[in-house]
Amino acid sequence: MQVLKTSESAFANITDFPYTPHYVQVTDTISSEITMAYYQAGPKDGHTILLMHGEPTWAYLYRKMIPTLVEAGFNVLVPDLIGFGRSDKLERREDYTYARHVIWVKEWFNQVVKGPVTLFCQDWGGLLGLRLVADMPERFAGVMVSNTGLPTGDQPPSEAFAKWRRFSQDVPAFPTSSIIQGATVSELSEHTLNAYDAPFPSEEYKAGARMFPLLVPASPDSVEAQSNRNAWEKLRKFKKPFMTAFGDSDPVTAGGDRVFQKLVPGCEGIEHAVIKDGGHFIQEDKGEELAALLKRFIEQTHNL
């Protein structure tokens, strides 16, 4: 695999994400090791919260949530997925697969995360994070999902997703920050838009971002469709606290919260939330509100 590394100088002008990057080596057992970045905030002996981003964002997406969680005494961990943020970028699109992403995240998790953890995930953070929950339910104290799912391809994707997938492949230059602004209710500042563009100094760095929409199982015979069905069988037995907090302004994942509430037993008895004026990148629109909900969810349901 040909690996690209974004220079640290690309992040020099970002003033609202003061977290020191840490790095670990991960491998998919086929190729050489690659570098995955992550950020830690708050007391390391606090209950661990894992915040997982999706496409085409990076850990910066959580800058509005981290302070509230740190103030509450939580140990907050936020990785950059391979291909995003400060993590390595693979130059060839075909080097990115759903299975490899799962392996990379699991490798990172096993190296970095200690003790019980609460997962918060959105977008591809759910497609990957929920696979971890299914594989290692004993490691998780609870889960909060927002604007995400675990598709098996047995139901056709929404028209909004189909349009997004076509756009992601056809657009000559992948407009990272414009994509994020287009799926956010609030108006983002130029500084914020630049921060989302920072990991990608040129088009060749965007292979992972281009590839993610194609990796979502969209038909019953899609690669990883059966793996996701298997994961759902395990999630149907997950009885630990499981909360949904979807935005009301995200056409891509609309209705996904009801699927979780119907199928995951841990959703029973939980006060779920629908976030008013929450777009797909709900952490931008309602980050502080989400953090307060996550804090309350943990305090009310976890026997820490």
Side-chain angles (χ1 to χ4, degrees):
M1 291 191 297
Q2 298 297 314
V3 174
L4 301 172
K5 295 180 181 290
T6 304
S7 170
E8 184 58 30
S9 63
F11 302 92
N13 294 325
I14 299 175
T15 58
D16 53 349
F17 191 73
Y19 307 105
T20 302
H22 303 276
Y23 300 93
V24 296
Q25 301 299 306
V26 297
T27 177
D28 55 17
T29 71
I30 298 172
S31 54
S32 57
E33 290 188 330
I34 50 180
T35 302
M36 189 163 174
Y38 72 97
Y39 312 84
Q40 187 278 331
K44 292 184 178 180
D45 61 351
H47 176 71
T48 300
I49 296 176
L50 170 57
L51 306 176
M52 291 194 63
H53 75 85
E55 145 89 338
T57 58
W58 58 289
Y60 178 79
L61 179 67
Y62 284 103
R63 72 194 182 284
K64 296 181 180 180
M65 293 180 64
I66 295 172
T68 297
L69 302 174
V70 167
E71 185 179 351
F74 296 115
N75 172 38
V76 183
L77 295 172
V78 197
D80 284 335
L81 298 177
I82 295 296
F84 300 87
R86 287 181 166 94
S87 291
D88 282 354
K89 323 292 187 297
L90 311 182
E91 194 169 359
R92 300 192 313 161
R93 291 195 205 183
E94 55 266 36
D95 286 332
Y96 291 96
T97 69
Y98 194 156
R100 275 181 163 172
H101 272 294
V102 172
I103 293 170
W104 292 327
V105 171
K106 195 170 185 178
E107 277 246 325
W108 172 85
F109 184 93
N110 285 332
Q111 291 185 60
V112 174
V113 180
K114 313 298 180 188
V117 58
T118 296
L119 170 68
F120 177 93
C121 55
Q122 176 262 345
D123 193 82
W124 262 95
L127 275 76
L128 297 173
L130 293 172
R131 289 281 294 270
L132 295 188
V133 176
D135 287 348
M136 304 180 288
E138 72 283 355
R139 299 290 306 275
F140 291 88
V143 178
M144 183 171 167
V145 294
S146 183
N147 296 355
T148 191
L150 193 62
T152 62
D154 297 312
Q155 303 296 327
S158 66
E159 180 56 31
F161 176 77
K163 287 175 64 176
W164 152 240
R165 187 172 53 186
R166 289 194 298 270
F167 171 83
S168 71
Q169 303 309 300
D170 295 342
V171 66
F174 193 82
T176 309
S177 60
S178 296
I179 289 168
I180 296 165
Q181 177 63 86
T184 303
V185 173
S186 52
E187 192 70 25
L188 305 182
S189 69
E190 183 177 356
H191 176 87
T192 297
L193 296 173
N194 289 339
Y196 282 121
D197 286 328
F200 308 113
S202 67
E203 286 300 304
E204 62 183 343
Y205 286 76
K206 300 176 184 178
R210 288 265 196 185
M211 202 57 200
F212 251 157
L214 296 183
L215 300 182
V216 176
S219 63
D221 59 350
S222 295
V223 177
E224 293 301 296
Q226 186 57 48
S227 295
N228 279 4
R229 289 187 199 101
N230 296 341
W232 268 113
E233 287 307 309
K234 296 175 182 177
L235 291 175
R236 287 171 183 265
K237 302 173 185 175
F238 190 80
K239 297 180 180 179
K240 295 176 186 176
F242 197 110
M243 178 180 175
T244 63
F246 279 47
D248 68 353
S249 302
D250 179 23
V252 174
T253 63
D257 49 349
R258 295 192 296 272
V259 176
F260 287 112
Q261 292 167 23
K262 177 182 177 182
L263 298 179
V264 181
C267 287
E268 188 174 345
I270 300 296
E271 185 180 349
H272 302 286
V274 175
I275 310 298
K276 183 175 172 54
D277 296 324
H280 182 66
F281 297 106
I282 193 168
Q283 301 94 320
E284 279 293 342
D285 290 323
K286 298 292 179 178
E288 295 88 351
E289 183 178 339
L290 277 175
L293 284 171
L294 180 56
K295 172 179 177 289
R296 189 180 71 182
F297 167 64
I298 294 172
E299 292 175 345
Q300 290 182 346
T301 63
H302 294 22
N303 183 21
L304 303 179

